[in-house]
């Protein structure tokens, strides 16, 4: 009778699948029956991971034929040594370009092959599915299950973190993050005494990693470099000839490499050149020569 009563409770259902697998993939996906219900980027990565697993399977079969051992498996070291071969196989299976290293030039939706340990992980996940389970669901990334990415630090603690950086972290002595954390501990202790007298809970001093992330949030790399290394040293590393887009002072405009804009060409293409007099044409050519020169 107790079993019958429990089966009548809301949300209870009978798992009719085998005991070996049950609803393992549904549980892994956080309630989704299939990965098809997930966002497009996750489905794209799932196909990428499955292509890697199939490439690893083909590589394993080649290894078994070459060694004559039917039980040979791909090790992490072997997968690391054969990354280029795995990339070629997975690329043919997927039909998309896969890079061995992240391409330069900023953020993009590129597919970059993982290192050996991750390659073996996805291969084992795809080949370890049971009856009725989809290998695609087994290698789908679980980005939709990630927690809240918003900051959990109270605003008053962030103000103390900023003050700690301003007190000891932003000078030419180039203090370590540990020194800033010690200063923050003093500030937090003083603040907790006030909070205790007012019936509030204490603040917890964050880790050095959190403190460093807060610095990167409130300062650009150029600003931090000027504060700790000085303008002259910063200009050497982030000035003309460097590869990043920069402005060393507020309102400073810096051309990158060379300017290929031409007022003369634009005037001719727009049909304005024919209406200009000789003086105006000479002036445009003078300005055009000036802006085309590299800084």
């Amino acid at each position: 009778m107790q079993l019958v009563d429990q089966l009548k409770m809301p949300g209870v259902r009978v798992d009719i699948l085998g005991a070996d697998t049950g609803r393992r993939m549904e549980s892994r996906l956080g309630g989704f029956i299939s990965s098809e219900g997930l966002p497009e980027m996750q489905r794209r990565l799932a196909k990428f991971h499955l292509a890697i697993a199939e490439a690893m399977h083909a590589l394993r079969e080649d290894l078994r034929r070459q060694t004559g051992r039917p039980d040979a498996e791909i090790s992490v070291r072997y997968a690391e040594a054969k990354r280029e071969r795995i990339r070629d196989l997975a690329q043919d299976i997927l039909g998309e370009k896969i890079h061995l290293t992240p391409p330069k030039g900023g953020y993009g939706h590129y597919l970059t092959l993982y290192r050996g340990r991750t390659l073996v992980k996805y291969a084992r996940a795809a080949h370890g599915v049971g009856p009725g389970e989809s290998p695609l669901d087994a290698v789908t990334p679980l980005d939709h299950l990630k927690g809240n990415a918003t900051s959990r630090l109270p605003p008053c603690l962030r103000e103390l973190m900023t003050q700690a950086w301003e007190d000891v972290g932003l000078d030419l002595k180039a203090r370590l993050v540990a020194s800033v954390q010690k200063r923050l501990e003093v500030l937090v202790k003083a603040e907790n005494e006030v909070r205790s007298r007012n019936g509030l809970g204490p603040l917890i001093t964050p880790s050095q990693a959190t403190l460093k992330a807060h610095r990167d949030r409130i300062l650009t790399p150029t600003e931090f470099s000027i504060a700790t290394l000085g303008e002259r040293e910063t200009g050497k590393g982030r000035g003309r000839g460097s590869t990043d887009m920069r402005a060393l002072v507020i309102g400073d405009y810096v051309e990158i490499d060379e300017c290929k804009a031409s007022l003369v060409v634009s005037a001719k293409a727009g049909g304005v050149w024919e209406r200009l007099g000789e003086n105006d044409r000479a002036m445009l050519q003078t300005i055009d020569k000036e802006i085309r020169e590299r800084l």
Side-chain angles (χ1 to χ4, degrees):
M1 292 299 295
Q2 293 181 355
L3 176 61
V4 175
D5 293 338
Q6 291 179 354
L7 291 176
K8 293 180 180 179
M9 296 178 61
V12 175
R13 61 184 177 183
V14 179
D15 190 351
I16 60 176
L17 298 180
D20 292 339
T21 59
R23 297 184 181 272
R24 184 172 57 175
M25 289 297 109
E26 183 179 346
S27 176
R28 179 182 183 275
L29 296 177
F32 285 85
I33 299 177
S34 170
S35 59
E36 292 300 321
L38 297 176
E40 180 182 358
M41 191 60 188
Q42 284 182 252
R43 288 185 275 114
R44 180 170 179 250
L45 289 177
K47 295 177 181 178
F48 172 48
H49 296 164
L50 186 59
I52 290 176
E54 294 177 0
M56 292 282 287
H57 177 73
L59 189 66
R60 186 185 65 178
E61 295 303 314
D62 290 342
L63 178 63
R64 290 179 176 180
R65 284 194 297 268
Q66 293 174 4
T67 61
R69 296 172 49 198
D71 59 342
E73 296 291 340
I74 300 295
S75 64
V76 173
R77 180 176 297 181
Y78 188 82
E80 183 70 25
K82 297 292 184 178
R83 286 184 73 242
E84 187 172 354
R85 173 63 175 161
I86 297 171
R87 188 275 308 271
D88 295 339
L89 292 173
Q91 199 167 245
D92 294 339
I93 296 171
L94 185 62
E96 286 190 59
K97 183 174 180 59
I98 301 174
H99 299 268
L100 288 177
T101 57
K104 297 180 180 180
Y107 175 78
H109 294 286
Y110 306 113
L111 296 177
T112 305
L113 193 67
Y114 306 113
R115 310 304 301 190
R117 187 181 301 275
T118 307
L119 296 175
V120 172
K121 181 188 73 172
Y122 284 122
R124 291 175 178 174
H127 301 148
V129 296
E133 294 181 336
S134 170
L136 192 65
D137 295 342
V139 295
T140 299
L142 304 179
D143 295 343
H144 64 292
L145 299 180
K146 291 181 178 179
N148 188 1
T150 57
S151 175
R152 294 184 293 272
L153 298 178
C156 58
L157 182 56
R158 286 201 171 274
E159 293 178 1
L160 295 179
M161 294 165 66
T162 302
Q163 182 180 345
W165 276 108
E166 292 176 348
D167 290 347
V168 300
L170 303 179
D171 57 24
L172 298 181
K173 296 180 181 178
R175 304 282 186 131
L176 299 175
V177 182
S179 302
V180 181
Q181 189 183 38
K182 291 180 179 179
R183 173 58 179 165
L184 180 60
E185 290 176 354
V186 175
L187 296 175
V188 169
K189 182 178 179 181
E191 179 67 21
N192 283 338
E193 293 177 355
V194 178
R195 294 173 64 88
S196 177
R197 293 194 297 267
N198 289 273
L200 297 176
L203 299 175
I204 300 176
T205 304
S207 64
Q208 293 186 22
T210 304
L211 197 56
K212 184 179 179 181
H214 178 73
R215 181 202 69 193
D216 296 338
R217 179 182 179 183
I218 62 177
L219 294 175
T220 65
T222 300
E223 291 171 339
F224 181 69
S225 179
I226 292 176
T228 56
L229 300 178
E231 293 185 17
R232 182 175 181 179
E233 189 65 26
T234 300
K236 293 179 180 179
R238 307 184 70 84
R240 173 179 172 180
S242 62
T243 58
D244 58 341
M245 187 173 295
R246 66 274 175 194
L248 300 185
V249 296
I250 297 176
D252 183 19
Y253 293 94
V254 180
E255 294 186 33
I256 306 302
D257 196 21
E258 60 181 320
C259 181
K260 296 183 179 296
S262 173
L263 294 179
V264 174
V265 175
S266 300
K268 291 181 178 180
V272 183
W273 185 261
E274 62 180 354
R275 299 196 299 269
L276 297 178
E278 292 297 330
N279 294 335
D280 292 335
R281 291 183 180 183
M283 181 61 69
L284 270 185
Q285 290 175 343
T286 302
I287 298 176
D288 190 62
K289 181 180 179 181
E290 170 107 13
I291 67 174
R292 289 169 69 112
E293 291 182 356
R294 179 176 178 178
L295 290 179

